[in-house]
Every structure is written in structure tokens, then in C-alpha cells.
Amino acid sequence: GAGWMMLPGDSELIAMLERDGHSRDALAILEQGYANGDRRYRTLHQMLALYEYQGDATKARTILEEMVSERPYDPALRERLVNFYQAVGDGTARLAALKAQIETRYKESACREYVALLRLDGHNDDELAGLQFCRQHGYRRPDDLARLAVLLAATGDTVQASATLRSIDDVKR
């Protein structure tokens, strides 16, 4: 009985296999647990790391999206999702993930990246909507606010454009 109690559990076995370079065996154990309904965060995190290590982007994407759906207010996890989409080259999903990241928790760098991607697409209407969205969440970068004012003036909304330019003067003094 004492010998049986000293045998390593699944978590310890997986850690030993990873440490010894047997990542496929560790992944097989994790996948078996996942198939049996194990959806613990630790399991998902280990599976994600192993899928990324092996270069299986499809499975890594599925696991990462599941992790984000389980923890939608985790800013680090959302940022990891954005970086993952950038790495695999999925621009549309990256834009959606950036927008969700900003909605969850405002971060100036995320807004800057979001607006820059919209600007690169070359659609002024989307860029205008993105700038207004970020501004509503607290984005106050003067260069982008000036761009917002130009886009508003181009649509004929000169009152809003001048108000935006005045807000830049208030920020910059």
C-alpha cells in the first residue's frame, strides 16, 4: 500500500516527461485527460505550451480560445491571444481580439496597435470607428486624435472635429 501511495500522479508524471524531453508522451496523457473531460486551467495551459512547442497551431488555437472563453477578463491571456494571432498571420482574428482586449481592459498600446492595423487596411470608415471606439475607452494620443478630427471633418462633422482638436489643446496645453 505504501508503495502504491508513492507512485507519481498525472501532474508529476507529466512534469517528469516534459523535463526529460518526452513531450509527446506528456501530451498523450494530457489529451487523454482532456478527452475524458478534464478542463482545468493547468491542463489547458500545459497542452497549449506543448502544442506551441510542437508547432501545432490549429490545436494550440483551439486550446487558447477555450482558455480565453473560460477566463474572459484575464488581460494577460487576451494579450497572449493577440500575439498568437499575429504569429499565425490571422489579421481579422487579431483585430477582433484587440477590440475584445480593449473592451475588457483599456491599454494604450492595444489601442495604438488596433488603430494602426485599421489604418493599414486603408478603410477610412473602419479607422474612424476604431478611433472613436478607443477614444470612448480613454485613448488620448494627440496624433491619433488629430487624425480622428481630420476623418470627422472629411465626413462633414466639423463641430465634432473642432471639439476633438480642442481636446488635444487641453491635453497638450
Side-chain angles (χ1 to χ4, degrees), residues 22-168:
H22 301 287
S23 60
R24 289 180 193 220
D25 295 333
L27 189 56
I29 294 169
L30 289 168
E31 286 176 336
Q32 182 181 5
Y34 184 80
N36 292 334
D38 183 9
R39 300 291 193 271
R40 291 177 299 170
Y41 186 78
R42 179 184 171 130
T43 302
L44 296 176
H45 185 72
Q46 287 176 320
M47 286 177 68
L48 175 64
L50 290 172
Y51 283 141
E52 286 177 338
Y53 176 75
Q54 291 182 354
D56 193 344
T58 306
K59 290 181 180 178
R61 179 181 187 147
T62 303
I63 295 297
L64 187 54
E65 288 172 348
E66 185 175 335
M67 290 170 70
V68 169
S69 69
E70 285 184 15
R71 292 188 177 188
Y73 299 109
D74 186 347
L77 198 54
R78 287 208 174 266
E79 189 169 345
R80 186 172 182 183
L81 183 64
V82 169
N83 292 336
F84 178 82
Y85 287 144
Q86 180 181 5
V88 297
D90 191 346
T92 306
R94 183 177 171 202
L95 275 173
L98 275 168
K99 187 173 183 178
Q101 180 183 4
I102 295 164
E103 286 175 339
T104 302
R105 184 180 221 176
Y106 169 75
K107 189 174 179 184
E108 183 180 340
S109 61
C111 266
R112 192 176 331 124
E113 184 178 354
Y114 181 65
V115 169
L117 289 173
L118 290 172
R119 190 171 295 148
L120 282 174
D121 283 344
H123 301 291
N124 289 341
D125 295 337
D126 293 341
E127 183 183 355
L128 176 63
L131 283 167
Q132 289 174 330
F133 170 75
C134 283
R135 186 171 183 215
Q136 290 170 353
H137 286 84
Y139 190 58
R140 300 286 182 260
R141 189 164 180 235
D143 296 342
D144 287 332
L145 290 179
R147 174 73 176 165
L148 175 61
V150 168
L151 292 173
L152 287 169
T155 62
D157 191 355
T158 56
V159 173
Q160 190 71 5
S162 63
T164 303
L165 288 174
R166 273 194 298 280
S167 73
I168 295 171

